[in-house]
Amino acid sequence: AAGVIQSPRHLIKEKRETATLKCYPIPRHDTVYWYQQGPGQDPQFLISFYEKMQSDKGSIPDRFSAQQFSDYHSELNMSSLELGDSALYFCASSLISTYYEQYFGPGTRLTVT
Amino acid sequence: DQQVKQNSPSLSVQEGRISILNCDYTNSMFDYFLWYKKYPAEGPTFLISISSIKDKNEDGRFTVFLNKSAKHLSLHIVPSQPGDSAVYFCAASEGTTLGRLYFGRGTQLTVWP
C-alpha cells in the first residue's frame, strides 16, 4: 500500500539559510499534518491542512510557513534557520472523517550548523 | 505542559510474555487515544486506537484499555515477540482541534528471546 512520502530524507543547512520540506500524502487522504520532533522529545504539532486550507496551527514559529497544493501535497518552508530548528520533521496524512488515525511519513532530518 | 505522559522510558519483557505499556493524560476533552510504534529511522506507525466512549479495543495481539475516571490507558501485547521491540508512543486527539495529536515521550520496549 502507498505510504506518506517525504523529501528530502536528510537536509543540512547553515544558520540563516532557508529550507523547504515536501510531503506527499496517501492517495485520497484530504488532510496533512506537520510535526517536529527534537532529540529525545515527543513529536510536537506544527500545522495542518484540510482541502488546501489551514485547519489548525500549533507551536509553529513565524519564520515557518506551509501550504497544501491542489494535488494535496504539502510544503513546509523554513527561513532564517536557527540551530534549535535541528530536528526530525514528520508529515502525516488522514481522512478528515478519521482524523485521529494519522499515517506518518519517514521524516526529514534537518541539521542546522 | 505535557498533556500526555508515559512515565516509563523503557520496558524489557521476555518473548511470549505480556507487555503492558502505560499512559496517563490530563485533558478531559480528549476524544480519541492512539498507540504508535516507531522503529529507528522510520516514522511512527499507527497501531490501535480507542474512542473515549469505549473502555477496550482489541486487534489481534494488541489490546488497549481506557480508564477515563483515572485518565489512564494501557496497551497490552500478548504474546510479545522480538519484532515488537520498538518505541511505543501514546497519543491523544481532541475533537475540537480536528486531528492535532498530543504525544507522550515514548516507551522503549525490548522483547528478548
Side-chain angles (χ1 to χ4, degrees), chain A residues 9 31 33 35 37 40-45 48 55-58 88 90 96 99-107, chain B residues 2 31-32 34 36 38 41-46 49 89 93-106:
Chain A
R9 293 291 309 274
T31 310
Y33 313 82
Y35 293 86
Q37 185 180 21
Q41 302 294 313
D42 49 299
Q44 292 285 321
F45 172 79
S48 62
S55 54
D56 192 12
K57 189 173 181 180
L88 259 176
F90 289 109
I96 194 65
Y99 57 86
Y100 44 87
E101 289 185 14
Q102 298 176 19
Y103 294 84
F104 283 73
Chain B
Q2 195 80 13
D31 60 349
Y32 274 96
L34 309 96
Y36 283 85
K38 186 180 182 302
E42 295 183 11
T45 302
F46 171 75
S49 65
F89 286 98
S93 176
E94 182 185 337
T96 57
T97 54
L98 279 182
R100 176 194 304 207
L101 292 181
Y102 298 83
F103 284 87
R105 293 262 167 103

Side-chain angles (χ1 to χ4, degrees), chain A residues 15-28:
Chain A
K15 281 171 50 178
R16 292 180 288 279
E17 286 192 317
T18 61
T20 297
L21 280 55
K22 296 185 178 182
C23 169
Y24 298 85
I26 290 172
R28 291 183 294 280

Side-chain angles (χ1 to χ4, degrees), chain A residues 75-94:
Chain A
E75 294 183 4
L76 178 65
N77 298 294
M78 311 159 70
S79 63
S80 302
L81 287 169
E82 301 173 357
L83 296 177
D85 296 329
S86 296
L88 259 176
Y89 290 83
F90 289 109
C91 171
S93 73
S94 76

Side-chain angles (χ1 to χ4, degrees), chain B residues 10-86:
Chain B
S10 63
L11 175 67
S12 183
V13 171
Q14 188 175 24
E15 180 179 8
R17 302 274 189 140
I18 184 171
S19 294
I20 299 177
L21 295 98
N22 294 302
C23 177
D24 297 296
Y25 63 95
T26 58
N27 187 346
S28 57
M29 298 298 291
F30 286 146
D31 60 349
Y32 274 96
F33 302 88
L34 309 96
W35 286 94
Y36 283 85
K37 178 168 73 172
K38 186 180 182 302
Y39 294 116
E42 295 183 11
T45 302
F46 171 75
L47 259 182
I48 191 168
S49 65
I50 186 168
S51 163
S52 61
I53 63 172
K54 296 186 175 181
D55 55 18
K56 178 182 174 182
N57 189 25
E58 193 172 350
D59 184 1
R61 297 185 298 114
F62 302 92
T63 303
V64 56
F65 295 92
L66 175 63
N67 182 334
K68 283 185 65 178
S69 60
K71 292 191 174 68
H72 176 85
L73 64 154
S74 60
L75 175 68
H76 292 213
I77 306 174
V78 183
S80 301
Q81 300 173 354
D84 296 329
S85 297

Side-chain angles (χ1 to χ4, degrees), chain A residues 49-85:
Chain A
F49 292 88
Y50 166 61
E51 286 290 344
K52 292 150 281 185
M53 298 287 289
Q54 181 181 305
S55 54
D56 192 12
K57 189 173 181 180
S59 49
I60 182 170
D62 291 340
R63 300 177 289 107
F64 294 8
S65 65
Q67 57 181 321
Q68 185 180 32
F69 294 85
S70 57
D71 64 351
Y72 292 96
H73 95 272
S74 178
E75 294 183 4
L76 178 65
N77 298 294
M78 311 159 70
S79 63
S80 302
L81 287 169
E82 301 173 357
L83 296 177
D85 296 329

